[in-house]
Amino acid sequence: MKDIQVGLIGFGNIGAGVVRLLRDNAEIIRSKVGAGIVLKRIADLDITTDRGVSVERGVLTTSVDDIFNDSEISVVIELIGGYEPAKTFVLKAIEKGKHIVTANKALLALHGTDIFAAAVRKGVEVQFEASVGGGIPVLTAIKSNLAANNINSVFGIMNGTCNYILTRMTQEGADFSDVLKTAQELGYAEPDPTFDVEGVDTAHKLAVLVSLCFGTRIDFKDIHTEGISNISGLDVKYAAQFGYRIKLLAIGKHVEGEIEARVHPTMIPLDSPIADINGVFNAIRLTGDFVGPVMFSGRGAGQNPTASAIVGDLVGLSRNMKAGAGRRMSPLGFLDDAIVTIPVKPMAEITSKYMIRFSALDKPGVLGGIAGSLGKHGISIESMVQTAHEVEDSSPVPIVIMTHEAREGSIQKAISEIDQLDIICEKTSFIRIEDNLE
Ligand code: HSE
């Protein structure tokens, strides 16, 4: 069979990994596909920077049209990231009848519906394994191996930058800003880390997962997104004292005709399997009605793992082309007309346990004031810690309360009421607790 000809748009770090993988593992790929996979053209605005891999003369171009207009190229890999011009390029490639492989979660989270609809119209495939969890083969598993299940929940650690920062805060008792600074110096965090540390990257990945797991279209704006920049060393210390670790979790649940889709720092029990996923590693755990809980973990980013997922998609597409199988599966696994819009539960209606940290004066009536407001809003206290000053001192002390299961709306109301009290010295913070992530 003739080799499969591929065009690559975006020759950065990941693109260079794809070039190297296709070269180093050409033999094993050929032995699995029955044909070679050849990068015929690579388009990037910068074709002079040394990417550490050699490409043959004539492969590099600054014009994406060299890819779109090449009728031998049947697959386009999009690796420029972001919303535009990635969306325009992907739609153009689809229009030209080319299959797409992309690692771009931001694009899929916001414009997936348009892209998939265009692909359906043209009868081409869109593969995106690398968009969630880097090298972890979770999306293909959901679409294929777990296709027989109703999936009820999916959650995980999906951002290596945040997990690295939280791990070091936990292990060293360090503060967020100090760890972020060293992470940037070591190249683990981007110079502008906003999308990572504010949870946006994780929310993009959750949008993709929720669609695949529950067969729904989700409006990205409906995903409640909080990052880790407000987590302090004190939060990490108190969480540990109560038997928990703080992780930035993406949580998706499908219960009684509604879904929950939220990203926020979450306290999880120390003995939960996901609590030991440390550093830049990612983990995704989901529960299907027949299979039960399944957990995937591995490297969620980086040149080699991401290239592994991208070339895995290329191999799958090439096998289909070779078998003349056409478009065997819809992009989300569910048939296109079976995808519905399931309402997203408003945050005020979710229920959770909470760790609430107050900063209050150490004087009579303080606990009474706090407990009174919590009680008024139906919030029951499970346990609490107050660290008193050793000698009399008028500076505030932390009061940390663990609640039983409560409605988020009630927690918000109680805290805003408590924050009006004279005895409260700083804005009160809280962290949600997930004891039963199944
Ligand atoms: N920046 C991401 C992370 C990888 O830190 O995990 C790409 O989504």
Side-chain angles (χ1 to χ4, degrees), residues 3-16:
D3 287 348
I4 307 290
Q5 306 286 331
V6 178
L8 166 62
I9 305 177
F11 193 27
N13 181 43
I14 306 298

Side-chain angles (χ1 to χ4, degrees), residues 242 244 267 350-356 374-375 377-384 400-412 414-415 430-436:
F242 285 109
Y244 292 89
M267 285 166 49
I350 72 146
T351 58
S352 177
K353 289 168 66 174
Y354 296 81
M355 179 177 88
I356 312 176
L374 292 176
H377 291 281
I379 300 158
S380 169
I381 296 171
E382 182 183 286
S383 54
M384 67 148 287
V400 184
I401 285 181
M402 301 278 287
T403 73
H404 285 293
E405 193 90 11
R407 264 186 84 251
E408 172 116 358
S410 309
I411 292 280
Q412 300 272 13
I415 288 179
F430 67 83
I431 302 180
R432 301 172 189 90
I433 300 170
E434 291 280 342
D435 274 333
N436 298 307

Side-chain angles (χ1 to χ4, degrees), residues 157 163-164 167 245 247 268 272-284 295-298:
I157 297 167
N163 206 38
Y164 173 83
T167 301
R245 194 158 285 156
K247 295 288 185 187
I268 52 176
S272 139
I274 213 163
D276 285 327
I277 303 298
N278 286 322
V280 295
F281 275 75
N282 284 194
I284 296 136
M295 182 159 142
F296 304 81
S297 72

